[in-house]
Amino acid sequence: QTQLNMSANCTGGQDGHISEPHADWPPCKSVYINSITQSMYGDQLEYWLSIFKPEQFFIVPYTSYVTDPGATLKQTAEVLGLKVTEDIEAASWTNVGSHNSIGEDLNPDLLEQLVDYFKTSNQKVYDLIDEYKLTVVPGGDADSWT
């Protein structure tokens, strides 16, 4: 809840407050301490698409990685022209102390607030994926990884 409140104060809430999202990115000094604000990818993706060609982007949904890390990493390697030559084991030591699940250990009211908070930013990501025909690894539509 604390991070959600900090992020809302920093960005102006789920709809933001900046007319040019990255003119002063990050929008407040605490953004790098606040992982929730860092996770609002819509404006970030839009900014980077103004600098790099769309074919240079490969979107890897977190849910795909969590659900099947081996298949996700193998498909990512294929898209990059690489080949995975060994079996991939899930690294149990990554992000020690962080949440490895999506919502399972959150209070349902807080989870609902978070989903609502990210709705606008997430929709912007989906819209940019469609508009620029970005590659999503593994393949599939947005409904399969939300």
Side-chain angles (χ1 to χ4, degrees):
Q1 186 67 52
T2 300
Q3 284 197 12
L4 182 60
N5 292 340
M6 285 173 51
S7 184
N9 290 336
C10 178
T11 63
Q14 68 185 37
D15 296 322
H17 74 285
I18 325 171
S19 60
E20 295 181 36
H22 288 279
D24 59 350
W25 187 261
C28 72
K29 293 179 183 177
S30 67
V31 73
Y32 291 110
I33 300 169
N34 185 345
S35 60
I36 289 178
T37 304
Q38 290 176 307
S39 299
M40 296 182 79
Y41 300 122
D43 287 341
Q44 295 176 52
L45 181 58
E46 183 176 52
Y47 172 75
W48 290 114
L49 281 164
S50 73
I51 296 174
F52 296 101
K53 296 175 184 176
E55 54 271 9
Q56 293 179 276
F57 287 83
F58 301 98
I59 308 298
V60 181
Y62 176 73
T63 50
S64 297
Y65 178 73
V66 170
T67 303
D68 194 349
T72 301
L73 292 175
K74 285 179 184 178
Q75 289 180 31
T76 301
E78 288 173 13
V79 167
L80 296 173
L82 305 171
K83 183 177 180 182
V84 176
T85 58
E86 296 182 25
D87 287 336
I88 299 168
E89 294 181 30
S92 60
W93 52 267
T94 59
N95 292 328
V96 175
S98 70
H99 300 286
N100 291 324
S101 60
I102 300 175
E104 290 178 9
D105 56 349
L106 291 176
N107 173 295
D109 292 336
L110 179 56
L111 179 59
E112 185 178 331
Q113 288 177 35
L114 287 167
V115 168
D116 189 52
Y117 187 80
F118 283 101
K119 190 175 287 184
T120 301
S121 182
N122 288 346
Q123 187 59 54
K124 183 179 250 184
V125 171
Y126 307 144
D127 292 345
L128 290 168
I129 288 170
D130 287 341
E131 178 182 345
Y132 288 93
K133 308 292 186 247
L134 301 179
T135 301
V136 178
V137 179
D141 59 281
D143 292 335
S144 67
W145 42 269
T146 55

